[in-house]
Amino acid sequence: EVQLVESGGGLVQPGRSLRLSCAVSGFTFGDYAMHWVRQAPGKGLEWVSGINWNSGTIAYGDSVKGRFTISRDNAKNSLYLQMNSLRAEDTALYYCAKDTHYDILTGGSVDVWGEGTTVTVSS
Amino acid sequence: EIVLTQSPGTLSLSPGERATLSCRASQSVSSSYLAWYQQKPGQAPRLLIYLASSRATGIPDRFSGSGSGTDFTLAISRLEPEDFAVYYCLQYGSSPYTFGQGTKLEIK
């Protein structure tokens, strides 16, 4: 069974940093691109970032570019999101999600999602 | 950035009726790289449709997707009680990926 389990969320002050992790199992992690998607309370879905199988192709949403960094460790079956200079508008449930392809922007959709980890940015 | 606009914002129908949800893009979606998701309260989204018209594994055939270019549609032929949820479209053909704002399908 494919499983994605996010961790690392919590309450953080504006301007501070936080690192999210996603541990995966049930599939060959290194064969697939991965994504982070977030959902602010009571709002819709927002794509945050995507990374291809070997970290050679990375993309970010405009609202996080320059502040967030996505990375992966295929040996540890883990995906990460380093979030710096956090703002109140970054408050959301952050989902880790699997692509159907090895690369992003090549026609693979997002097919499997974790349950999310909550990030709250407040003083 | 491609902006996706979903309509209507809320759709009120009864079980057994047909639902038609629209997703319109601000520019052409590359190779029909468009997906539809269903999200129920407190749950992660579930993939329904990819490549505009291909059903994901395990999705009932009452769900169908169509469209190309800038206009896409999700149709649910006969609504079941479990179909009442929020539906999102996603374009994944150009960076950044973008979601529509969602359509809430509620019981009338």
Side-chain angles (χ1 to χ4, degrees), chain A residues 35 39 62 95 105 107-108 110 114, chain B residues 1 33 37 39 44 88 92 97:
Chain A
H35 303 267
Q39 187 167 33
D62 291 345
Y95 292 105
L105 300 167
V110 178
Chain B
E1 170 176 319
Y33 290 158
Y37 296 86
Q39 188 178 35
Y88 295 94
Y92 51 96
Y97 291 17

Side-chain angles (χ1 to χ4, degrees), chain B residues 17-33:
Chain B
E17 291 192 292
R18 177 182 177 86
T20 303
L21 287 66
S22 172
C23 176
R24 180 162 290 177
S26 60
Q27 54 189 281
S28 185
V29 175
S30 174
S31 302
S32 295
Y33 290 158

Side-chain angles (χ1 to χ4, degrees), chain A residues 4 7 11 22 29 31 41 43 55 78 90 105 115 117:
Chain A
L4 293 78
S7 61
L11 174 63
C22 173
F29 180 65
D31 284 352
K43 302 298 184 182
S55 307
S78 294
D90 295 319
L105 300 167
E115 292 303 311
T117 186

Side-chain angles (χ1 to χ4, degrees), chain A residues 18-41:
Chain A
L18 205 60
R19 189 193 196 208
L20 304 184
S21 299
C22 173
V24 313
S25 60
F27 66 99
T28 304
F29 180 65
D31 284 352
Y32 294 94
M34 297 292 294
H35 303 267
W36 288 99
V37 177
R38 69 184 182 184
Q39 187 167 33

Side-chain angles (χ1 to χ4, degrees), chain B residues 2-9 11 19-29 32-37 49 52 64-75 87-92 97-103:
Chain B
I2 295 179
V3 176
L4 299 181
T5 302
Q6 292 186 239
S7 61
L11 185 58
T20 303
L21 287 66
S22 172
C23 176
R24 180 162 290 177
S26 60
Q27 54 189 281
S28 185
V29 175
S32 295
Y33 290 158
L34 187 115
W36 289 94
Y37 296 86
I49 301 287
S64 63
S66 62
S68 63
T70 60
D71 288 297
F72 299 87
T73 299
L74 174 70
Y87 292 83
Y88 295 94
C89 54
L90 164 71
Q91 71 80 22
Y92 51 96
Y97 291 17
T98 48
F99 286 93
Q101 83 280 16
T103 289

Side-chain angles (χ1 to χ4, degrees), chain A residues 94-117:
Chain A
Y94 283 74
Y95 292 105
C96 165
K98 171 187 164 293
D99 201 295
T100 58
H101 284 197
Y102 66 92
D103 205 351
I104 59 173
L105 300 167
T106 57
S109 58
V110 178
D111 65 342
V112 182
W113 302 62
E115 292 303 311
T117 186

